[in-house]
Amino acid sequence: MQLIRYPDMAGWPALQQRAAAGEARELEERVATIFAEVRERGDEALREYTARFDGVTLSDLRVRPEEMAGAAALVPAALQAAIRQAHANLEKFHQLQRPVEERIETMPGVECWRRAVPVQRVGLYIPGGSAPLFSTLLMLGVPARLAECPDIVLCTPPAPDGSVNPIILFTAQLLGITTIIKAGGAQAIAALSGGTESVPGVDKIFGPGNRYVTAAKQLATRYGVAIDMPAGPSEVLVIADETANPAFVAADLLSQAEHGPDSQVILLTTSDALLVAVTQEVERQLATLPRREVAALALRESRAILLRTPEEMLFFSNQYAPEHLILALEEAEVFSVGVTSAGSVFLGHLTPEAAGDYASGTNHTLPTNGYARNYSGVSLDSFLKKITFQRLTPEGLRNVGPVVETMAEAEGLHAHARAVTLRLESLGN
Amino acid sequence: MQLIRYPDMAGWPALQQRAAAGEARELEERVATIFAEVRERGDEALREYTARFDGVTLSDLRVRPEEMAGAAALVPAALQAAIRQAHANLEKFHQLQRPVEERIETMPGVECWRRAVPVQRVGLYIPGGSAPLFSTLLMLGVPARLAECPDIVLCTPPAPDGSVNPIILFTAQLLGITTIIKAGGAQAIAALSGGTESVPGVDKIFGPGNRYVTAAKQLATRYGVAIDMPAGPSEVLVIADETANPAFVAADLLSQAEHGPDSQVILLTTSDALLVAVTQEVERQLATLPRREVAALALRESRAILLRTPEEMLFFSNQYAPEHLILALEEAEVFSVGVTSAGSVFLGHLTPEAAGDYASGTNHTLPTNGYARNYSGVSLDSFLKKITFQRLTPEGLRNVGPVVETMAEAEGLHAHARAVTLRLESLGN
């Protein structure tokens, strides 16, 4: 980690800089080709790309009921129980987000209301690889189900033997998701964005992925499909005071760093002793970590920064807008009131980021790359649209009609005014 | 209007087609140049573009307090009263959308909550031209103020004499917006996206505009700025039965058509008599409309479609996903329950779209171009982020910790597990 003591405020923006995404042109062109192929040739193209990238030729792109039925037996009982508990916690927290229909008379006879309606067709993308991200499936599947989206399509890449990881299948089963497509990468996103013979097209695509998936999601927006949010590497900012436990802080920093070499890790503290102790702990813990090579790469670009006051730490953090913010502080809750930009916040010494990553109940699909300034994490809202309604009675028309006529005339929109005038005249005023 | 009777369902997608946006490459390049210039040279570039496009050389890019102070005197009293009433109605409806902080223990000792925090810096863009869109300023300003966004920046192009329309200034004053920049077009969006000497940079940009503004907003998203929603021409779909008044329906269709030659207007009905009567009324009313040339162009691409059943009309409408949906039906409220995709819905024979465009209380910034399938209109939510929080007590850590350990190990993320294990061990289990 880079140790920086009392940096000049003018130098803060440089310290808040994320790693640049690098040259994207070539990648974008490859993704555009995949899109064009899949949108034109459907399943045929999808099969070809799956053969090329996942090394398996599939006859059936959909997971069959027999495959689903066999999944649970392959998942250890302790893991099944843990997934069930996480599912229950997520349901509890996301259920609170269910909106109430608001109805009001803004003037007598002018009734307005707003109704939440599920996005009708949603696609959930879950990356494959050595570690199946079943936790992400929970994070997306729970709100999708609570929102009552009628069509939920899950895409995940198959293993070289054509199977889908049983933990993913078990989790899908728990969620009641039955449309599961064996496809990954940009080709899966392309299929979801326009539909193929086997893959239903969707209105909104959720989920993480590598640079190809991210570029593909961006491209999908050109075809009228919405996405959950812009994506970037995962990141954590820890704010710690002298009461923090260096071993806990180091473990939290490492649990971010192990995600990937481009993970972002920042420590802010007012205690020089803690600064030193944490960096020593990081080295110590790193040595015994299975993913230590990945974590070490991420740590090279990571910063431990000594600041003068809690106010400085808060200001720095809000400016940086971290995806995850850990408040390893004596007075974490008081401090948290000042947080204006962060994805999810972890309070106190006993709340590791890992709790929210898996099972506390909050969602782990969060804005990265500074987008916490203007985006929220995934929630029930992400799967709902709000439609407004209004109805005027004769009295309502008499009350609001003249207001509309006056404003429409002032904006030079006479047909707007006339739509009111004709109706007012019909009331025989 | 094009009259179409009982079209084959296979032909519906063609009837639901919006006009294509046309070749955008050249426009995008021009906008990219403007962006590069303004982001590099700031106010200087902004002044040059304003001289070129708005025909005025400004010394001061900001509206001065004297200009604000003089505005009200130039706005007729009746219009002032109308704007105040619309403001009050909008406040009433949007106030209902204020979220309540949700707090829950998902397991004993695992407390989770979600807090709404305003987007800190928002930019509102209001186009200029002959008709100042003060109604749009109300639609954006009311939720921005209710959300308590600390920094609200209004950009609007100046007239050739360097002034800003007094109705805009009066409305801004009513809203308590004091940072008003005399700049329009892509250059205004560029300034908001990065900031200049006179223009504060913002986190999110709202508001309508021509193709340049739309392309500029799209480009702004590449610089980490969020936008309200993708934009397209305004549109209405009217669903009418035999109880509808042809003159009202015609007036509603025309009030959409007068917006611009690319406005989209569709009528669905099960009554052939109404179909004929409405198209005759449209011709009749068109003749006396000041903006008849614009409206006539829009009507050329508009469709009046006869269908067989209410179910067919509902299905067609949900598939089209109109920005505005008028239900000119005897049983409008019953019918409205089936609406799954629309921006704002107007129920019954006495509720013209114009009511919602100006003063009913609902927001008129709505998803166009089929985006009602996956986006909501602007609301208080658009100016808020939701940050999640969690805090574990020792009991909470004992409850959820093992769940997290099991799941993290199964995903191969050992540092995640260790962040929990170290803490559990510290409790001396």
Side-chain angles (χ1 to χ4, degrees), chain B residues 229-250:
Chain B
M229 69 186 84
S234 193
E235 58 197 27
V236 70
L237 187 146
V238 181
I239 297 181
D241 62 16
E242 65 290 347
T243 68
N245 182 321
F248 297 176
V249 173

Side-chain angles (χ1 to χ4, degrees), chain A residues 38-39 41-43 46 61 187 190-192 194-201:
Chain A
V38 173
R39 290 182 68 94
R41 298 195 293 116
D43 278 358
L46 198 50
L61 291 169
Q187 60 274 20
L192 287 172
T196 69
E197 299 89 328
S198 298
V199 186

Side-chain angles (χ1 to χ4, degrees), chain B residues 91-133:
Chain B
E91 270 202 332
K92 260 193 198 165
F93 185 63
H94 287 75
Q95 211 142 25
L96 282 187
Q97 298 162 10
R98 214 184 274 276
V100 192
E101 183 171 305
E102 309 119 3
R103 217 175 241 264
I104 198 172
E105 268 195 328
T106 53
M107 298 173 91
V110 179
E111 196 179 19
C112 299
W113 64 102
R114 199 163 77 129
R115 183 155 57 84
V117 175
V119 178
Q120 300 291 294
R121 310 175 303 167
V122 298
L124 314 184
Y125 182 78
I126 304 294
S130 51
L133 295 183

Side-chain angles (χ1 to χ4, degrees), chain A residues 24-45:
Chain A
R25 174 82 45 117
E26 200 201 330
L27 181 142
E28 275 173 23
E29 275 168 19
R30 288 169 71 178
V31 168
T33 304
I34 294 173
F35 250 73
E37 289 285 318
V38 173
R39 290 182 68 94
E40 194 178 316
R41 298 195 293 116
D43 278 358
E44 188 182 74

